[in-house]
Amino acid sequence: MINILMSGCNGKMGQVITRLASGSEELTIAAGYDLNNSKDNPYPVFTNIHQCDVKVDAIIDFSNPAALENILEFAVSRKIPVVMATTGLSDENIKVLEMASAEIPIFFSANMSLGVNLLLDIVKKASKILSDNFDIEIIEKHHNQKLDSPSGTALAIADAINLALEQKYEYTYDRHSVREKRSKREIGIHAVRGGTIVGEHSVIFAGNDEIIEIKHTATSKEIFAVGALRAAKFICGRKPGFYNMNDLISAE
């Protein structure tokens, strides 16, 4: 049995993961970490992660970027693998993750859904074929409580496209302030916030007289929880390093 420390256990994703893990024969949530300790959980919850005295085999973090360095300090001091699933991480945050991966195994993905990661592969292949004659736009939609914009997944899609193309494209987030035609060498990224939309990402390739749209829609937060739990099973026993969803898929 794999014992998990759930960071952000009292948040929406933490509670979904807790529920799914309760039915697993391979892993269990043995402890939680959250500044908010108002919920009743079937495991001890610590408001200070450094006070956790429960032996755990991995940490799943679905909390806040502000907690990153504190969590990593704890994980490195005890040599515990980390699945970093928190969204909205900055480039500086990711550099901190990469530095910590020299000492412990770290799994990081901008989106824990297997479907989204398949979309990334498809979009990279499509970009190589279509980029010369098609404009590329990304539209992401999320619920009205989401804090970061654009989403980390939308940025990951844009980065995947840029990686696939020989010439770097610029990212355009807002066009209202400049009255000029769209550049061929840009990727438009647009965010919609409303209601209870779990997550939707569309990549539009707009050409002359034809449009190709590649889209992923999440209808439940469970897909992200399932991915995080699979990542936790994958990361246990690994050597220090920086792992992602491609490593998990390749290993299965």
Side-chain angles (χ1 to χ4, degrees):
M1 184 69 74
I2 298 172
N3 291 322
I4 304 293
L5 170 59
M6 184 67 235
S7 173
C9 62
N10 288 332
K12 292 180 180 179
M13 283 305 309
Q15 290 294 291
V16 173
I17 290 174
T18 294
R19 176 170 55 80
L20 290 183
S22 66
S24 172
E25 297 179 353
E26 299 178 90
L27 48 77
T28 185
I29 308 299
Y33 165 55
D34 204 303
L35 297 181
N36 170 20
N37 195 15
S38 60
K39 287 186 170 62
D40 184 22
N41 291 292
Y43 47 77
V45 176
F46 300 87
T47 55
N48 181 342
I49 194 170
H50 294 280
Q51 292 178 352
C52 177
D53 56 1
V54 178
K55 184 181 182 303
V56 296
D57 304 301
I59 299 170
I60 296 177
D61 179 61
F62 256 114
S63 60
N64 189 291
L68 176 68
E69 293 195 24
N70 193 36
I71 293 166
L72 290 180
E73 181 182 335
F74 172 79
V76 168
S77 69
R78 305 200 184 186
K79 303 301 180 186
I80 303 172
V82 175
V83 174
M84 182 53 58
T86 292
T87 61
L89 297 186
S90 66
D91 290 342
E92 188 59 37
N93 291 148
I94 295 173
K95 288 180 182 177
V96 172
L97 278 177
E98 291 173 343
M99 290 175 61
S101 72
E103 300 187 58
I104 58 173
I106 291 189
F107 187 103
F108 172 70
S109 176
N111 191 301
M112 285 290 163
S113 160
L114 292 177
V116 164
N117 284 275
L118 176 59
L119 177 142
L120 289 174
D121 283 340
I122 295 171
V123 164
K124 283 192 288 187
K125 293 175 182 176
S127 299
K128 291 179 180 179
I129 298 170
L130 302 175
S131 61
D132 287 342
N133 299 305
F134 287 73
D135 297 320
I136 305 172
E137 298 281 310
I138 298 169
I139 302 173
E140 57 98 343
K141 303 175 185 178
H142 285 87
H143 52 85
N144 58 22
Q145 300 299 303
K146 187 171 178 61
L147 299 179
D148 55 311
S149 175
S151 69
T153 301
L155 293 173
I157 293 170
D159 290 342
I161 292 170
N162 241 344
L163 185 65
L165 302 176
E166 295 181 0
Q167 185 170 353
K168 295 292 184 182
Y169 280 40
E170 294 183 355
Y171 300 165
T172 300
Y173 303 100
D174 192 354
R175 296 193 176 95
H176 84 277
S177 60
V178 179
R179 290 179 57 83
E180 61 183 29
K181 291 194 300 183
R182 184 193 195 281
S183 165
K184 286 294 295 181
R185 297 297 178 183
E186 72 175 65
I187 299 173
I189 305 176
H190 314 277
V192 175
R193 296 289 175 269
T196 59
I197 302 171
V198 175
E200 181 178 299
H201 294 85
S202 298
V203 184
I204 298 172
F205 295 90
N208 292 330
D209 302 322
E210 61 180 332
I211 299 171
I212 299 171
E213 182 173 359
I214 303 171
K215 179 179 176 181
H216 177 273
T217 301
T219 59
S220 166
K221 290 181 180 293
E222 285 197 9
I223 63 171
F224 310 120
V226 169
L229 290 170
R230 290 175 70 173
K233 289 189 285 186
F234 166 82
I235 202 74
C236 285
R238 300 282 171 179
K239 296 179 180 179
F242 203 53
Y243 301 90
N244 58 35
M245 195 63 75
N246 288 333
D247 297 309
L248 188 156
I249 293 171
S250 298
E252 293 189 344

